[in-house]
Amino acid sequence: MTDTIIRRSKPGAALGEGLLWSRRDGCVYWVDILGNRLHAFYLADGSEKTWYFPDHIGWVIEREKGGFIAGLMSGFHELSLEPFILKHIANPFPHEPGNRLNDAKADDQGRIWAGSMHKPQEKKSGALYRLNTDLSHIEVDGPYQVANGPTFSPDHAKIYHTDSGENDVFVFDIVDGEAVNKRLFVHFPDDWGSPDGMTTDAQGGIWIAHWGGGKISRFTPDGALDFSIALPAKQITNVCFAGAALDRVFVTSAAVDQPDDREAGTLFEIPSELLRGHTGLEPQKFKG
């Protein structure tokens, strides 16, 4: 099956992550966290572009009024790519100088929910934060060893969030804009690898990347495993739907500590026949 997977970049990204479909720009954005780079893959012609950052970048999210919000080791930033301008907003963890922002998504209220982790993974000092539209931020939940995900149910009544270090995926209810009633959604046994980045399809399924497991899996809303798709790299980090009809799926991977994995650090695309008819949801934008 892995012979049919489409390669959309050269291998070698130390820690590919942070996938984002941009209808506005016609591309999939993704980062190499440890390489301090943001990449764009343009769907129309297969061209690519890269921007370099002053420290580790975990993700970018489109801003409704233009540009992006970016999550770096130094915290939340306003970002323009053309011309390149990076403006610091806030560091949510000044008490943890070894931490960095790791993964994020915006909700239907235009707020950003972002996880953090210690670099390297020496202690359980990560947390789930929320950047509000007035540029204030709060800590929602913690501590986490490696905060990953997040993703939302199609109606945004639930948020799913992961502690990769504990192999646990949690789900919260969102009531009056707040995350409440935290509970376990799924626990990954060791032979699955660890749960990493996630996305939700229009039918309500949760797609999770398997770090160390060499695959992505779809779970039903009740946490049951639906099916998996094997990939030709072991450390799979993130997954997103893209394209005009949100019927294309892209996957990132990591080359760090994988000297013998020739495919590690590649941006992959899953052939449409393996998706079983599932389509994605339009990414939300930050409204601040």
Side-chain angles (χ1 to χ4, degrees):
M1 181 185 296
T2 58
D3 291 340
T4 67
I5 302 297
I6 304 163
R7 283 74 171 166
R8 291 302 190 185
S9 76
K10 294 179 180 179
L15 186 50
E17 253 286 7
L19 280 162
L20 172 72
W21 158 240
S22 171
R23 188 176 298 275
R24 178 189 68 192
D25 298 339
C27 69
V28 171
Y29 288 105
W30 60 288
V31 302
D32 180 352
I33 295 176
L34 301 182
N36 300 358
R37 290 190 292 262
L38 171 68
H39 302 286
F41 173 78
Y42 294 90
L43 272 58
D45 59 6
S47 63
E48 300 174 80
K49 193 168 184 179
T50 298
W51 295 266
Y52 294 86
F53 285 76
D55 62 30
H56 297 333
I57 175 170
W59 47 267
V60 296
I61 289 175
E62 286 186 314
R63 204 170 186 178
E64 192 172 69
K65 65 182 183 181
F68 302 86
I69 300 296
L72 279 72
M73 188 164 183
S74 49
F76 298 109
H77 292 71
E78 298 176 295
L79 171 65
S80 165
L81 293 178
E82 304 292 347
F84 187 90
I85 301 170
L86 191 63
K87 181 181 178 183
H88 189 253
I89 297 172
N91 177 4
F93 35 75
H95 55 292
E96 292 288 355
N99 277 22
R100 64 169 174 83
L101 289 174
N102 190 46
D103 210 347
K105 281 188 176 66
D107 66 15
D108 61 346
Q109 297 184 42
R111 307 170 300 175
I112 292 174
W113 301 69
S116 69
M117 61 174 286
H118 193 267
K119 178 192 172 292
Q121 299 171 30
E122 294 176 347
K123 56 181 177 177
K124 194 170 182 177
S125 60
L128 174 63
Y129 298 94
R130 191 181 70 228
L131 180 67
N132 300 312
T133 56
D134 63 359
L135 301 185
S136 66
H137 64 273
I138 66 164
E139 181 176 327
V140 176
D141 190 54
Y144 290 85
Q145 186 172 335
V146 183
N148 253 313
T151 194
F152 299 91
S153 59
D155 61 2
H156 282 251
K158 294 181 174 64
I159 180 172
Y160 301 85
H161 198 250
T162 296
D163 189 342
S164 298
E166 302 291 345
N167 283 11
D168 289 330
V169 183
F170 300 102
V171 58
F172 303 73
D173 297 318
I174 298 181
V175 178
D176 297 328
E178 302 298 326
V180 299
N181 190 25
K182 177 183 178 181
R183 57 209 183 270
L184 185 68
F185 176 67
V186 63
H187 175 79
F188 273 35
D190 289 341
D191 60 355
W192 284 12
S194 299
D196 206 314
M198 300 187 286
T199 194
T200 307
D201 63 38
Q203 297 75 37
I206 307 301
W207 297 63
I208 305 178
H210 292 242
W211 173 274
K215 60 186 175 182
I216 59 172
S217 293
R218 181 185 190 269
F219 294 84
T220 61
D222 62 359
L225 175 63
D226 186 10
F227 63 89
S228 299
I229 299 172
L231 287 132
K234 186 174 183 181
Q235 292 180 164
I236 305 304
T237 57
N238 210 321
V239 53
C240 83
F241 287 86
L246 292 165
D247 57 355
R248 299 174 68 175
V249 167
F250 290 82
V251 177
T252 48
S253 62
V256 63
D257 298 328
Q258 296 291 298
D260 299 324
D261 187 344
R262 295 182 179 180
E263 302 275 13
T266 300
L267 173 69
F268 300 105
E269 183 175 356
I270 307 296
S272 59
E273 61 267 21
L274 299 182
L275 304 180
R276 305 191 184 185
H278 295 292
T279 55
L281 298 166
E282 193 70 23
Q284 300 291 319
K285 295 180 173 66
F286 181 64
K287 293 182 180 179

